[in-house]
Amino acid sequence: MKEKKASNYISIRESRKIIKYNIKQMKYYEKLKRRKLTEAEYTSPMRDENNIVEIDGLKTCFFTDNGTVMSVNGVSFDIPQNKIIGVVGESGCGKSVTSLSIMQLVQAPQGQVVEGEIRFNSDAAGRDAEGRKLGFNIAKMPTKEMYKIRGKDITMIFQEPMTSLNPVFTIGYQLDEVTLLHDKSMKKEDAKAYSIELLRKVGISMPEHVYKSYPHELSGGMRQRVMIAMAISGHPKLLIADEPTTALDVTIQAQILELLRDLQRSEGCSIMLITHDLGVIAEMADEVVVMYAGKVIEHGTAEEIFFHPKHPYTIGLQKSKPLLSSDANKPLYSIPGQVPNPINLPDACYFKNRCAHCMDKCREKYPDTVKVSDTHSVACYLYSEANGQNNDETAKEIDNG
């Protein structure tokens, strides 16, 4: 009797089939990016004109040699004006890929946005015949048109500032470049003065000296402040901060987060804060989006997520964070199991193998998102109508269990 083939084994025939499929798909989506579109073809009405960005059913995948990895699988949430939205989850859950999709910076041709809308509320989009506010659909927007938005209206602070700054150019040159790129009428002398003012605004002492310095001459905290100065140079509507304090020590982390909060208030922009640190989210965010395996599993205000969490995964994340009141003699809680392989995921709950409250339904179909309040939603069968939406008792049972 022949032995059964290992599930992780790919034959040469299957490999060739995958490569052929990948090439076909990558050519198709790259061709879509080069299309010449009229503005009307990549504008859509905003659901709420008080939102800066509205993400609906976003799917972003990577075509790999082992198969298609669906990094972002039907993500939907809004980023309102003058709010800080925190996005949390384990490594590999799709947080950063979601932000890169908004910026049109997903690594191509392997990475592609294949479905969904990312509506950006831009003043340049105007209104339709019915008076509804229009937004640019970034998922369909031509790359050349995206250049006008990226770096000005939507900016991003990356995880590691040393890899974001060019080591062979001075800080001043790189700051001036951003300003001159988006404001053609500005003179070099004015750009220099503006760059120095930006450095002063982000709390850098001796900004004239830093202006002439190279990245390697600055500390990690100062380099991150330079990146923040670069991000706010165009007075953006949305600032994406992708784990901006990961490479910094605790003291500098607190300073950077305080700076971001002050700038959000003074500049009047929205912030999408991506992190795996729940403490940072509790301190900074107005609303919290919890992601797992490429999907949003829970969304609510910071108070709802931290004081009334619903999804077993959200509760597990909170229990795994050490507290001052934790018993030092007991091991730190960890969620059992591992994140499922993102290639060819079945249409079932992705958390089922790690959940102590898994039911038969969880193995049949992915649960729909259920609203437990006007601002709080969760994708879990424990709170479906069939289970009576017994939210509070179920959450207490999970928390105690």
Side-chain angles (χ1 to χ4, degrees), residues 33-34 104 141-148 150:
K33 293 179 182 178
R34 295 191 294 269
Q104 264 196 21
M141 199 172 188
T143 305
K144 289 184 178 180
E145 296 299 322
M146 187 64 191
Y147 291 154
K148 301 175 184 178
R150 186 170 58 216

Side-chain angles (χ1 to χ4, degrees), residues 3 15 23 53 105 107 152-153 251 262 269 287 349:
E3 293 184 4
S15 178
I23 292 172
V53 170
L105 288 176
Q107 186 177 3
K152 186 176 185 297
D153 293 329
T251 305
D262 291 342
C269 64
E287 296 181 18
C349 178

Side-chain angles (χ1 to χ4, degrees), residues 300-320:
T301 64
E303 182 178 353
E304 288 170 334
I305 295 298
F306 282 92
F307 293 104
H308 306 287
K310 303 301 180 187
H311 201 284
Y313 175 69
T314 308
I315 296 171
L317 282 179
Q318 295 192 28
K319 289 172 69 175
S320 62

Side-chain angles (χ1 to χ4, degrees), residues 57-214:
L58 176 65
K59 291 186 178 182
T60 304
C61 68
F62 290 88
F63 300 104
T64 72
D65 292 342
N66 294 325
T68 302
V69 176
M70 194 62 70
S71 295
V72 177
N73 192 1
V75 165
S76 300
F77 64 89
D78 301 334
I79 304 177
Q81 294 179 0
N82 302 322
K83 296 287 185 180
I84 299 178
I85 306 300
V87 183
V88 296
E90 291 175 285
S91 296
C93 70
K95 307 186 298 297
S96 295
V97 177
T98 301
S99 66
L100 292 173
S101 300
I102 296 174
M103 295 289 289
Q104 264 196 21
L105 288 176
V106 178
Q107 186 177 3
Q110 289 80 13
Q112 299 288 344
V113 175
V114 297
E115 194 176 313
E117 289 192 355
I118 307 170
R119 294 185 294 274
F120 171 63
N121 191 346
S122 174
D123 297 333
R127 295 180 179 272
D128 62 8
E130 300 176 8
R132 296 177 298 179
K133 186 70 180 71
L134 292 174
F136 291 126
N137 182 6
I138 294 174
K140 292 183 178 179
M141 199 172 188
T143 305
K144 289 184 178 180
E145 296 299 322
M146 187 64 191
Y147 291 154
K148 301 175 184 178
I149 294 176
R150 186 170 58 216
K152 186 176 185 297
D153 293 329
I154 305 177
T155 56
M156 189 169 182
I157 305 168
F158 296 93
Q159 292 186 32
E160 175 51 62
M162 193 59 199
T163 58
S164 303
L165 293 168
N166 194 321
V168 301
F169 293 111
T170 63
I171 298 300
Y173 180 90
Q174 296 182 63
L175 281 170
D176 292 350
E177 183 183 29
V178 176
T179 304
L180 294 171
L181 180 65
H182 294 289
D183 190 349
K184 304 292 185 182
S185 62
M186 185 173 286
K187 297 179 180 179
K188 290 185 178 180
E189 295 77 12
D190 296 332
K192 178 180 178 180
Y194 182 56
S195 296
I196 292 173
E197 179 59 31
L198 285 172
L199 293 174
R200 187 177 288 111
K201 183 181 287 188
V202 296
I204 291 180
S205 58
M206 297 188 296
E208 293 84 359
H209 174 72
V210 173
Y211 179 87
K212 301 175 183 178
S213 302
Y214 287 88

